[in-house]
Amino acid sequence: MAKTGTTTQGLRTAIERSGYYPALVAEAVEAAVGGEQISSYLVHQETTFDSNEVRRHVTVLVLTGNRFIVSHTDEQAADGSSPTPYATTSTESVKLPRISSVVVSRVVGNPESYTPGTVPREVVLTIGWGAVSRIDLEPAACGDTNCEADHGYTGSSTADDLSLRVSEAGDGPEAVRQTLAFAQALSEATAATR
């Protein structure tokens, strides 16, 4: 489920509709937003299956005039560190000029007959601001198949701070549209700060 909009009350309503510890999630998000005006938001509740457990997560993305705020809440079963189930909520606030990339990957069926405006089957929104980077390395080689010299390593570094997948089958077409709308608002906001 994804919900998007532009008002503080709308944000609170979307958090409550997600049904995922709304008081806890709303308090954390509202504290991070403070008194700033909300330009856009996205609330995405997701259920995953981990071995024999069902786990729920909620991610709330908020765009203000100056910042991008991400909040993520996970629930945990009782374990050795806690005799009762518990939830962990974290928020991060990023100044818009720090956002280095907004990547929107769209998956469409029957691309040969695609009509503009058709909702993709799936959207993956990846946002990078430099907090987390992934480095993929592999041995470097030259063109000589008989060469035994050590050519060091080659690789790439990818900003991968947040990746959010929304699908038509799992979340519904409206959730996909809302994710695209938030991605566009974020892209426009980051372009305006350059």
Side-chain angles (χ1 to χ4, degrees), residues 3 6 8 12 17 58 60 64 93-94 112 116 121 123 129 136 138 141 161 163:
K3 297 289 179 197
T6 59
T8 303
R12 181 174 263 285
R17 280 193 193 134
V58 69
V60 180
T64 71
S93 174
V94 181
E112 69 282 353
R121 285 194 319 212
V123 170
W129 57 90
D136 295 318
E138 62 185 39
D161 295 304
S163 191

Side-chain angles (χ1 to χ4, degrees), residues 12-126:
R12 181 174 263 285
T13 300
I15 290 170
E16 289 170 357
R17 280 193 193 134
S18 79
Y20 186 81
Y21 306 121
L24 173 66
V25 173
E27 181 180 53
V29 171
E30 289 168 359
V33 171
E36 286 190 69
Q37 285 288 108
I38 294 173
S39 303
S40 186
Y41 63 82
L42 180 68
V43 177
H44 182 257
Q45 194 269 322
E46 179 179 22
T47 303
T48 57
F49 301 93
D50 183 19
S51 297
N52 296 329
E53 295 181 51
V54 176
R55 292 183 184 247
R56 297 182 305 157
H57 315 265
V58 69
T59 302
V60 180
L61 309 178
V62 179
L63 178 62
T64 71
N66 300 311
R67 298 183 297 147
F68 166 68
I69 298 162
V70 59
S71 175
H72 187 79
T73 304
D74 287 305
E75 65 183 355
Q76 307 293 327
D79 58 22
S81 67
S82 175
T84 60
Y86 60 98
T88 304
T89 299
S90 61
T91 58
E92 184 172 0
S93 174
V94 181
K95 291 186 178 198
L96 287 176
R98 284 197 49 217
I99 304 244
S100 57
S101 66
V102 178
V103 180
V104 180
S105 299
R106 302 166 193 243
V107 177
V108 298
N110 302 314
E112 69 282 353
S113 61
Y114 176 77
T115 304
T118 302
V119 175
R121 285 194 319 212
E122 179 177 309
V123 170
V124 178
L125 173 60
T126 304

